[in-house]
Each structure stands twice: as C-alpha cells, then as structure tokens.
C-alpha cells in the first residue's frame, strides 16, 4: 500500500509524516506529490529546488529520511510543472519549467544509486502540465532516454 501526502507548507504538512503515518504494518511505499509551485511570489528555480528538496515540510529529504527509518521504498506518485500563474496570494509557478524536470529526474537517479527503488509518475492529462508545456516535455523525454540508456529506468 502506498502512503502519499502532498508537499507543501502548512501546519498539516509540518507534522504529516509523524502524526498521520498509519504505521509500518499498513504501508509498503512512502510517497510525496511534488509540483513546482509556491504560495505568494515565485522565488526562482534555484531557491525553489532548495526549498522543495530540504526546507519545505515535508521535503524530499524528509521523505528519504522517513522512508529509510521505516525500511520503505520511495515514490513520487504525482509530479509535474504547475500551470503558470503569477497572481499574488495564490499558487505561483513559472509554468513550462525544464529545470524542475531535470532536477526531479536527477534526484530520483541519486536515490536509486543510493539503493532505493523509485516509483515516479509524471502527472499528465489533457488539461495539464506535460501536455501543454513543450520545454518540460522535451526535457522529460531527454531525461528518460538518458536514464534508460544507463539502465536506471525500465
């Protein structure tokens, strides 16, 4: 069974790994949904990646630490560039973001190299991310080809 909170920055997210985890007997895989969006102002790719990787709660690093402590596989069940928006006070994203795609694929490869099995699903449907973002889609295809050639993707 996959247990899967969503990355974000709220009181719920600060405690979700410890407070809402149903227990090792019920969970096989620990996951986290990740999108390249933030509330308020878009901080830029480098700042965003530092945030989602280490300081957002829960972060990718918190996911790895938690999964390791519980002996669970990792999953990123949903991830994608978020629809473009720059409206103050709402979810903000640069939209077609190849850097985010490259960072996510590199992160997954690093976790796999460390011994984890990674399950990832790039979220895509008719009205959203990869179907409407040509730069992100081209980067996803390039990253998949790269890691497939290295034998890291089935």
């Amino acid at each position: 069974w996959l247990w899967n909170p969503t990355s974000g920055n709220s009181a719920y997210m600060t405690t979700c790994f410890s407070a809402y985890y149903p227990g090792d007997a019920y969970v096989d895989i620990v996951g986290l949904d990740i999108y390249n969006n933030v509330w308020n102002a878009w901080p830029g790719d480098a700042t965003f990646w530092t945030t989602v990787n280490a300081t957002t709660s829960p972060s990718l690093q918190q996911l790895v630490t938690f999964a390791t402590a519980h002996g669970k596989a990792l999953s990123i069940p949903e991830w994608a560039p978020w629809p473009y928006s720059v409206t103050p006070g709402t979810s903000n994203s640069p939209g077609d973001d190849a850097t985010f795609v490259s960072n996510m694929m590199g992160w997954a490869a690093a976790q796999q190299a460390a011994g984890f099995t990674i399950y990832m699903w790039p979220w895509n449907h008719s009205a959203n991310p990869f179907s409407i973002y040509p730069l992100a889609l081209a980067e996803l295809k390039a990253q998949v080809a790269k890691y497939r050639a290295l034998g890291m993707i089935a």
Side-chain angles (χ1 to χ4, degrees), residues 62-140:
Q62 288 173 328
L63 171 68
V64 171
T65 300
F66 191 86
T68 300
H70 292 270
K72 303 301 178 184
L74 295 173
S75 177
I76 306 296
E78 286 186 12
W79 69 278
W82 196 258
Y84 175 78
S85 171
V86 290
T87 305
T90 66
S91 178
N92 285 271
S93 168
D96 196 0
D97 189 357
T99 300
F100 174 69
V101 173
S102 178
N103 286 341
M104 284 300 296
M105 294 296 288
W107 176 86
Q111 305 319 307
Q112 187 174 357
F116 280 101
T117 299
I118 302 291
Y119 302 93
M120 291 179 70
W121 181 56
W123 185 49
N124 187 31
H125 63 77
S126 62
N128 244 305
F130 292 104
S131 61
I132 61 173
Y133 292 146
L135 297 176
L137 180 60
E139 184 64 23
L140 178 63

Side-chain angles (χ1 to χ4, degrees), residues 1-25:
W1 187 69
L2 167 66
W3 181 69
N4 182 74
T6 298
S7 181
N9 193 3
S10 68
Y12 156 74
M13 292 301 173
T14 302
T15 60
C16 77
F17 277 134
S18 58
Y20 298 102
Y21 185 67
D24 289 342

